[in-house]
Amino acid sequence: MADKAQIQQAIKTQGEVVRKLKIEKASKEQIDEEVAKLLELKAQIGDDGKQPFQLKTAKGTRDFNPKQMAIRGRVFNTIVNCFKRHGAETIDTPVFELKETLTGKYGEDSKLIYDLKDQGGELLSLRYDLTVPFARYLAMNKITNIKRYHIAKVYRRDNPAMTRGREFYLQPRQFQGVLSDFDIAGQYDPMIPDAECLKIVHEILSDLDLGDFRIKVNDRRILDGMFAVCGVPDEKFRTICSTVDKLDKVPWEDVKNEMVNEKGLAPEAADLIGEYVSLQGGVDLAEKLLQDPKLSQSKQACAGLTDMKQLFIYLELFKATDKVVFDLSLARGLDYYTGVIYEAVLTQAGPSPVTPQGEEAVSVGSVAGGGRYDGLVGMFDPKGRKVPCVGVSIGIERVFSIMEQKAEASGERVRTTETQVMVASAQKNLLEERLKLATELWDAGVKAEVMYKKNPKLLSQLQHCEDSGIPLVAILGEQELKDGVVKLRNVATREEVDVSRADLVEEVKNRTLQ
Amino acid sequence: MADKAQIQQAIKTQGEVVRKLKIEKASKEQIDEEVAKLLELKAQIGDDGKQPFQLKTAKGTRDFNPKQMAIRGRVFNTIVNCFKRHGAETIDTPVFELKETLTGKYGEDSKLIYDLKDQGGELLSLRYDLTVPFARYLAMNKITNIKRYHIAKVYRRDNPAMTRGREFYLQPRQFQGVLSDFDIAGQYDPMIPDAECLKIVHEILSDLDLGDFRIKVNDRRILDGMFAVCGVPDEKFRTICSTVDKLDKVPWEDVKNEMVNEKGLAPEAADLIGEYVSLQGGVDLAEKLLQDPKLSQSKQACAGLTDMKQLFIYLELFKATDKVVFDLSLARGLDYYTGVIYEAVLTQAGPSPVTPQGEEAVSVGSVAGGGRYDGLVGMFDPKGRKVPCVGVSIGIERVFSIMEQKAEASGERVRTTETQVMVASAQKNLLEERLKLATELWDAGVKAEVMYKKNPKLLSQLQHCEDSGIPLVAILGEQELKDGVVKLRNVATREEVDVSRADLVEEVKNRTLQ
């Protein structure tokens, strides 16, 4: 009988033949003849016309192999260590929420939410970020202050029509990704928690050693004040804000064009905005703008600018100003921000993803973002009680892929296990002795492996150590058993010494101190 | 204006009034009058008859607060340490799979799979266990041997009609739960990997210190052989097997009744089965059954019994036989098992969940299960190439709730952060100095917190340390700043010493060695 794969190949080829004939508008007779051949082939492998089984993961999702998991583990450790260094607790929330919990929180991004099928119970959706579930958690448990971190996967549908690229945390073409969020909820003196969030981004991006980076900061109140003094009608604030948000990806001309021609803004108003959004600086810029004859007319803008000054004072104390820039073009997509907003970009990020639109390449390095959202918890509270919150969300996927490529480029051998010693034998019929010794080691807390073969070759046991980076081999033979010793071999140097059985655990532990 | 909660209470009370009148078949007039009052109340809070917004998690799911997460963290550490001790790597797979990947793998449990809504893309389902995604991963990547662990949440729908309780890993009424799976794939000598899986269950349940436990072992081939020699027709093996599977929850009479009256088995066949499934023992029972005049007729049963003997020999070497019992009534629900099967039960499990059916209480202690599934990977491989696999799945949720209640009962104070030192001040206007010192500590890798207030009271800073178990306070004052020192206070003993600023990091690290 022919190989199944061969038949499938034949089906494919024959399918092409039929298609070509149809396109060429060949005679019905001729087509029927080739279709009959096709059906015959399909019958051979029991293909009844249905799609063949797809051996793949769902679109936009992926597996991670052991080597990738080892690298991801390092990223998680770095991030969690930082969160713990700042005294955060952790919580967990379910991967799906009631659909209505997510409704009305994400603006036009709502289209990207995965809904569960209505199977006769509640209407459910997969979580889109960790911020909305956090706010729901606070309201539900009437928590008014907490500093928490949460590392978990979020889910966003693929929608090629939406190219805003708000899913900066995730890989291009990847709609499942891990976010690591740190948030501070509570009524505190202005800008202290906000500054700590930025300090945390600074620490993590430094610790991860991903090359240089910049943290752009702005404030929703400054943006709104700016729109007001530039003559944007109140009802257009939000839509104009989302156009400004594109400035990191498209040139000003295109942004202006969208404002004027699509959103009906007066060209003079757009030009005024254009002047403001080109400004970047530090505490000096905040001071200058507080004197700006137009902007200082806006109470909101002044409040934002005063806080911005304060933020920079705290960042100075935190030794973090070197990477932070006050950038009036930063707008951020989500609706729920009410004060300071920020976004971290890698400025010498290695691999740039291949995108059909060249202009997207600019925002490639975006790895974290966040801001203040003082109204979100109140949206969930039956009495509308507000809990001021500020937080930051760090995307793992892009960080991971940079780390992965760095490991690849450096030729580093990434270990995927932590095994300290392989229990081996050069002689036959010693399986039981190997299992006994492995048990001694395991029960003493030593990480040990043993081959699942009755009589494995010594070479293949040593090869496994080479392949997986196991540093030591404990070799048993008739003589060693008689003498009450084990031959301990250093895989790298090939040195061997006899160690008394009673001392083996200590010896292995000493030699593999981490 | 009345409080919203008060109005809602009034609506509830008024609703009762209306309901009672309807039950009492009161006059239409009277009912209408009370209904009008009800509607008036509803109008006050804008309740238009739609369900009010539900501030809750989806049914069958739950949040975990920081204290619960700290306890869960311990459980995960214990389990992961064991998996690593045995040289396992880890992988990750997506939370949802193509629907067809899960199709035909779970028998009647398939009804409990959560499907995603068809939003115009692929048909997707949430994973139901970690075994099927693992098999899909192996086939997709053509991996023929690996020892991996995977700790992740799985999802099962609520279906009160199904009371088989197969979701032993999860809490009663909880349909989201974490599984921790360990599997060995590869062609090896018989029963060595199988024995290691049982050794791992033994180690983990011992390490978790949950009280006494028992690991029941059986083999699908022994069950099938037993059915054959008892006269069960081939086509009824599976359905009779799933009836036997209920023996841990219902008495033999009910099982027999189902076999005979529902599944049409001859009463004599059922009685023969009844004799076998009452047997329990160790290697001796396997030897005895190999001599059994009926059972020894079955080649399959003999193969299973011979392997069972070998399994006990290895378990003896692993020092694990004390908890393992060969139990012919163990059947396990899932279709994919082909050889040895096992299930671990806690025999002095603390909290027994309140269930309407008293009989369910028997299986309360079930916390882990698994077995050999040599055919599952082949179901995914286009050429049907098989990869022999054996594994075990440990349910976190029940383990967690026992650990939680133990912590509660012992009055132990569970810390939710790892903060080593609180940076505090007794005087006003020292916020900037506090932030500076915190930065020094953070940048030196010390876990430190600082209050987000300009002028917090010393008492409230100390209270925070008491509440969250922070052992040290670094107190700054004008005098300390002048002297270049910090007053280091031990929260427990209230002792204070001046430590020079240059020595503070070392001093804090030494005093908080873990």
Side-chain angles (χ1 to χ4, degrees):
Chain A
M1 194 184 125
D3 185 76
K4 195 173 173 183
Q6 285 173 351
I7 302 175
Q8 274 166 340
Q9 186 52 50
I11 291 173
K12 216 170 143 189
T13 313
Q14 186 62 20
E16 288 299 329
V17 171
V18 172
R19 226 159 296 139
K20 211 173 151 207
L21 288 175
K22 284 181 179 172
I23 290 168
E24 291 167 352
K25 300 199 187 292
S27 71
K28 186 177 177 300
E29 213 170 17
Q30 206 181 344
I31 292 175
D32 283 352
E33 190 180 336
E34 298 299 330
V35 166
K37 282 187 202 159
L38 180 60
L39 291 177
E40 198 177 348
L41 281 167
K42 284 187 175 178
Q44 282 185 46
I45 56 161
D47 186 332
D48 52 2
K50 283 193 297 189
Q51 285 283 3
F53 174 72
Q54 298 276 313
L55 185 60
K56 64 190 277 293
T57 62
K59 196 173 162 196
T61 71
R62 57 171 295 186
D63 298 318
F64 293 101
N65 67 32
K67 195 172 151 191
Q68 292 165 331
M69 288 302 281
I71 294 169
R72 287 171 83 79
R74 291 184 203 166
V75 176
F76 291 135
N77 275 343
T78 302
I79 293 174
V80 169
N81 282 343
C82 178
F83 292 162
K84 287 185 174 172
R85 201 156 57 230
H86 287 261
E89 311 176 290
T90 188
I91 68 161
D92 191 34
T93 64
V95 79
F96 47 80
E97 295 276 345
L98 296 183
K99 186 175 165 61
E100 61 183 334
T101 297
L102 307 190
T103 301
K105 310 299 186 303
Y106 301 107
E108 57 185 82
D109 284 8
S110 298
K111 289 178 215 155
L112 304 183
I113 293 173
Y114 269 109
D115 292 331
L116 266 69
K117 191 172 163 187
D118 183 356
Q119 289 170 293
E122 298 165 325
L123 291 179
L124 307 170
S125 302
L126 293 183
R127 66 182 160 213
Y128 184 80
D129 65 8
L130 303 177
T131 311
V132 169
F134 174 58
R136 191 266 307 145
Y137 172 84
L138 294 186
M140 207 172 118
N141 296 285
K142 299 190 174 46
I143 293 166
T144 54
N145 76 65
I146 187 173
K147 177 159 57 178
R148 85 86 180 80
Y149 70 89
H150 189 188
I151 298 189
K153 278 188 196 164
V154 302
Y155 300 89
R156 295 163 191 207
R157 298 185 63 224
D158 180 19
N159 188 337
M162 295 187 60
T163 49
R164 290 207 309 134
R166 259 306 121 211
E167 53 290 71
F168 66 85
Y169 333 88
L170 311 181
Q171 285 281 80
R173 314 255 154 270
Q174 160 109 25
F175 311 104
Q176 154 195 277
V178 171
L179 295 188
S180 47
D181 279 24
F182 172 96
D183 295 81
I184 300 170
Q187 189 72 56
Y188 299 116
D189 282 321
M191 307 317 282
I192 314 176
D194 314 58
E196 192 176 17
C197 288
L198 290 168
K199 167 74 173 157
I200 279 172
V201 176
H202 193 284
E203 282 181 27
I204 288 173
L205 293 183
S206 303
D207 290 351
L208 287 172
D209 195 19
L210 300 167
D212 205 11
F213 60 91
R214 206 158 20 108
I215 309 172
K216 295 189 254 179
V217 190
N218 198 3
D219 193 297
R220 273 288 165 91
R221 292 165 300 171
I222 299 175
L223 282 167
D224 284 353
M226 176 183 87
F227 293 142
V229 302
C230 291
V232 179
D234 283 12
E235 70 279 8
K236 286 193 174 157
F237 276 20
R238 214 175 258 189
T239 182
I240 293 300
C241 188
S242 83
T243 305
V244 168
D245 192 33
K246 296 178 183 171
L247 263 179
D248 58 342
K249 302 194 200 67
V250 301
W252 167 249
E253 287 66 39
D254 296 355
V255 167
K256 181 182 169 185
N257 188 46
E258 183 175 312
M259 286 180 180
V260 175
N261 298 327
E262 284 180 40
K263 308 209 163 164
L265 192 66
E268 313 80 64
D271 286 335
L272 282 172
I273 292 173
E275 279 173 40
Y276 283 116
V277 296
S278 67
L279 300 174
Q280 290 194 347
V283 70
D284 50 318
L285 177 60
E287 270 158 7
K288 206 183 100 192
L289 289 173
L290 275 170
Q291 310 301 324
D292 182 86
K294 265 200 298 285
L295 206 53
S296 59
Q297 304 277 308
S298 158
K299 246 177 138 174
Q300 269 207 299
C302 288
L305 289 165
T306 306
D307 277 352
M308 186 62 70
K309 270 178 64 180
Q310 189 62 59
L311 179 69
F312 271 90
I313 291 169
Y314 293 145
L315 290 175
E316 189 73 45
L317 297 166
F318 285 156
K319 299 194 175 152
T321 42
D322 59 329
K323 308 289 184 189
V324 182
V325 57
F326 171 28
D327 182 333
L328 275 94
S329 74
L330 178 72
R332 307 259 316 137
L334 301 171
D335 286 347
Y336 50 62
Y337 292 116
T338 54
V340 64
I341 50 177
Y342 32 82
E343 195 163 304
V345 291
L346 300 178
T347 51
Q348 56 180 61
S352 81
V354 184
T355 55
Q357 310 91 322
E359 72 270 25
E360 267 207 274
V362 192
S363 73
V364 148
S366 179
V367 289
R372 179 161 283 283
Y373 50 102
D374 289 346
L376 190 58
V377 177
M379 288 173 75
F380 289 109
D381 188 273
K383 295 183 186 170
R385 281 169 298 212
K386 290 187 175 182
V387 176
C389 294
V390 64
V392 63
S393 182
I394 296 159
I396 298 289
E397 306 312 328
R398 195 177 303 281
V399 168
F400 160 66
S401 75
I402 295 169
M403 300 280 277
E404 192 184 16
Q405 297 196 25
K406 269 178 70 173
E408 205 69 51
S410 74
E412 178 205 357
R413 276 255 302 267
V414 179
R415 279 200 72 179
T416 58
T417 68
E418 296 176 9
T419 308
Q420 294 164 291
V421 61
M422 176 87 191
V423 176
S425 172
Q427 293 155 4
K428 290 203 166 187
N429 302 320
L430 289 175
L431 170 63
E432 302 203 350
E433 290 297 338
R434 283 190 287 128
L435 296 185
K436 240 170 154 168
L437 180 56
T439 303
E440 285 176 29
L441 293 166
W442 288 329
D443 291 352
V446 173
K447 297 177 186 123
E449 281 185 68
V450 60
M451 277 224 159
Y452 306 123
K453 296 271 186 190
K454 280 193 170 165
N455 297 308
K457 295 205 176 85
L458 183 62
L459 201 67
S460 67
Q461 295 171 87
L462 294 176
Q463 189 58 48
H464 175 68
C465 294
E466 294 275 1
D467 292 346
S468 65
I470 301 173
L472 299 171
V473 194
I475 303 174
L476 283 175
E478 296 294 352
Q479 193 55 49
E480 285 80 10
L481 287 169
K482 215 173 285 168
D483 299 348
V485 298
V486 168
K487 207 175 275 306
L488 194 60
R489 178 186 172 110
N490 179 317
V491 175
T493 65
R494 300 181 184 189
E495 279 172 307
E496 294 183 346
V497 286
D498 280 354
V499 175
S500 98
R501 188 94 170 214
D503 297 337
L504 183 63
V505 166
E506 272 315 293
E507 185 66 25
V508 170
K509 284 185 178 176
N510 284 336
R511 289 203 194 193
T512 52
L513 281 178
Q514 271 134 354
Chain B
M1 196 185 123
D3 185 74
K4 198 172 171 184
Q6 285 173 350
I7 302 175
Q8 274 164 340
Q9 186 52 48
I11 290 174
K12 216 171 142 187
T13 313
Q14 186 62 19
E16 289 298 330
V17 171
V18 171
R19 225 160 296 142
K20 211 174 150 206
L21 288 175
K22 284 181 177 172
I23 290 166
E24 292 167 352
K25 300 199 188 293
S27 73
K28 185 175 179 300
E29 214 171 15
Q30 205 182 346
I31 292 176
D32 283 353
E33 191 181 335
E34 298 300 329
V35 167
K37 280 186 202 162
L38 181 60
L39 291 176
E40 199 178 346
L41 280 168
K42 284 188 174 177
Q44 281 184 48
I45 56 161
D47 185 334
D48 52 2
K50 283 195 296 190
Q51 286 283 4
F53 174 72
Q54 297 275 313
L55 185 59
K56 64 189 276 292
T57 61
K59 196 175 161 194
T61 71
R62 57 172 294 187
D63 298 318
F64 293 101
N65 67 32
K67 196 173 151 189
Q68 291 165 331
M69 288 302 282
I71 294 168
R72 286 171 83 80
R74 291 184 204 165
V75 176
F76 292 135
N77 275 343
T78 302
I79 293 174
V80 169
N81 282 343
C82 178
F83 292 162
K84 287 185 174 172
R85 201 156 57 231
H86 287 261
E89 312 177 290
T90 188
I91 67 162
D92 191 33
T93 65
V95 79
F96 47 80
E97 296 276 345
L98 296 184
K99 187 177 164 60
E100 61 184 333
T101 297
L102 307 191
T103 301
K105 311 298 187 303
Y106 300 107
E108 57 184 81
D109 283 9
S110 297
K111 288 178 215 153
L112 305 182
I113 293 173
Y114 269 109
D115 292 331
L116 265 68
K117 190 173 163 187
D118 183 357
Q119 290 171 293
E122 299 164 323
L123 292 180
L124 307 171
S125 302
L126 294 183
R127 65 182 161 213
Y128 185 80
D129 65 8
L130 302 177
T131 311
V132 169
F134 174 58
R136 191 266 306 146
Y137 173 83
L138 295 186
M140 205 172 121
N141 296 286
K142 299 190 172 45
I143 293 166
T144 54
N145 75 65
I146 188 173
K147 177 159 57 176
R148 84 87 180 80
Y149 70 91
H150 189 189
I151 298 188
K153 279 187 197 164
V154 302
Y155 300 89
R156 293 161 192 206
R157 298 185 64 225
D158 181 18
N159 189 338
M162 295 188 59
T163 49
R164 289 206 311 135
R166 259 305 119 212
E167 54 292 69
F168 65 86
Y169 334 88
L170 310 180
Q171 285 282 82
R173 313 256 153 271
Q174 160 109 24
F175 311 105
Q176 154 195 279
V178 171
L179 294 188
S180 47
D181 279 23
F182 173 96
D183 294 81
I184 300 169
Q187 190 70 56
Y188 299 116
D189 283 322
M191 306 317 281
I192 314 177
D194 314 58
E196 192 176 18
C197 287
L198 291 168
K199 167 73 172 157
I200 278 173
V201 176
H202 192 283
E203 283 184 26
I204 288 173
L205 293 183
S206 303
D207 290 351
L208 287 172
D209 195 18
L210 300 167
D212 205 11
F213 60 91
R214 205 158 20 110
I215 308 173
K216 296 189 252 179
V217 191
N218 198 1
D219 192 297
R220 272 289 164 91
R221 293 165 299 171
I222 299 174
L223 281 167
D224 284 353
M226 175 183 86
F227 293 142
V229 302
C230 292
V232 179
D234 282 13
E235 71 278 9
K236 286 193 175 157
F237 275 20
R238 213 175 261 190
T239 183
I240 293 300
C241 187
S242 84
T243 304
V244 168
D245 192 35
K246 295 178 183 171
L247 263 179
D248 57 341
K249 302 191 199 66
V250 300
W252 166 249
E253 286 66 40
D254 296 357
V255 167
K256 182 183 170 187
N257 188 46
E258 182 175 312
M259 285 181 180
V260 175
N261 298 325
E262 283 180 41
K263 307 207 163 165
L265 191 67
E268 312 80 64
D271 286 335
L272 283 172
I273 292 174
E275 277 172 42
Y276 282 116
V277 296
S278 67
L279 301 174
Q280 290 193 347
V283 71
D284 50 319
L285 177 61
E287 270 158 7
K288 205 183 100 192
L289 289 173
L290 274 171
Q291 310 303 324
D292 183 87
K294 266 200 299 286
L295 206 54
S296 60
Q297 305 277 309
S298 159
K299 245 177 140 175
Q300 269 207 299
C302 288
L305 290 165
T306 306
D307 277 352
M308 186 62 70
K309 269 178 65 182
Q310 189 62 60
L311 179 69
F312 271 90
I313 291 168
Y314 293 144
L315 290 175
E316 190 72 45
L317 296 166
F318 284 155
K319 300 194 172 152
T321 41
D322 59 330
K323 307 290 184 188
V324 181
V325 57
F326 171 29
D327 182 332
L328 274 93
S329 74
L330 178 71
R332 307 256 323 133
L334 300 172
D335 287 346
Y336 51 62
Y337 293 116
T338 54
V340 63
I341 49 178
Y342 32 82
E343 195 163 305
V345 292
L346 300 179
T347 50
Q348 56 179 64
S352 80
V354 184
T355 54
Q357 311 93 322
E359 72 268 28
E360 268 208 271
V362 192
S363 74
V364 149
S366 178
V367 289
R372 178 162 284 283
Y373 50 100
D374 289 345
L376 190 57
V377 177
M379 289 175 73
F380 289 109
D381 189 273
K383 294 185 186 168
R385 280 169 298 212
K386 288 187 177 183
V387 177
C389 294
V390 64
V392 63
S393 182
I394 296 158
I396 298 291
E397 306 313 327
R398 196 177 303 278
V399 168
F400 161 67
S401 75
I402 295 168
M403 299 280 277
E404 193 183 15
Q405 296 195 26
K406 269 179 71 173
E408 205 70 50
S410 74
E412 178 204 359
R413 275 257 302 267
V414 178
R415 277 201 73 180
T416 58
T417 69
E418 297 176 9
T419 308
Q420 294 164 290
V421 59
M422 176 87 191
V423 176
S425 172
Q427 293 155 3
K428 290 205 167 188
N429 302 319
L430 289 176
L431 170 63
E432 303 203 349
E433 291 297 337
R434 282 189 287 128
L435 296 185
K436 240 167 148 170
L437 180 55
T439 303
E440 285 176 30
L441 292 165
W442 288 329
D443 291 352
V446 173
K447 296 175 187 124
E449 280 184 68
V450 59
M451 277 222 157
Y452 306 124
K453 297 272 185 186
K454 281 193 168 163
N455 297 307
K457 295 205 177 84
L458 183 62
L459 200 66
S460 66
Q461 295 171 86
L462 294 176
Q463 189 59 48
H464 175 69
C465 295
E466 294 275 1
D467 291 346
S468 65
I470 300 173
L472 299 172
V473 194
I475 304 173
L476 284 175
E478 296 294 351
Q479 193 57 47
E480 284 81 9
L481 287 169
K482 216 174 284 167
D483 298 346
V485 298
V486 168
K487 206 175 277 305
L488 194 61
R489 179 186 171 111
N490 180 315
V491 175
T493 64
R494 300 183 185 188
E495 279 173 306
E496 295 184 346
V497 286
D498 281 353
V499 176
S500 100
R501 187 92 171 215
D503 297 336
L504 182 64
V505 166
E506 271 315 293
E507 186 66 25
V508 170
K509 284 186 177 174
N510 285 335
R511 290 205 194 189
T512 52
L513 281 178
Q514 271 134 354

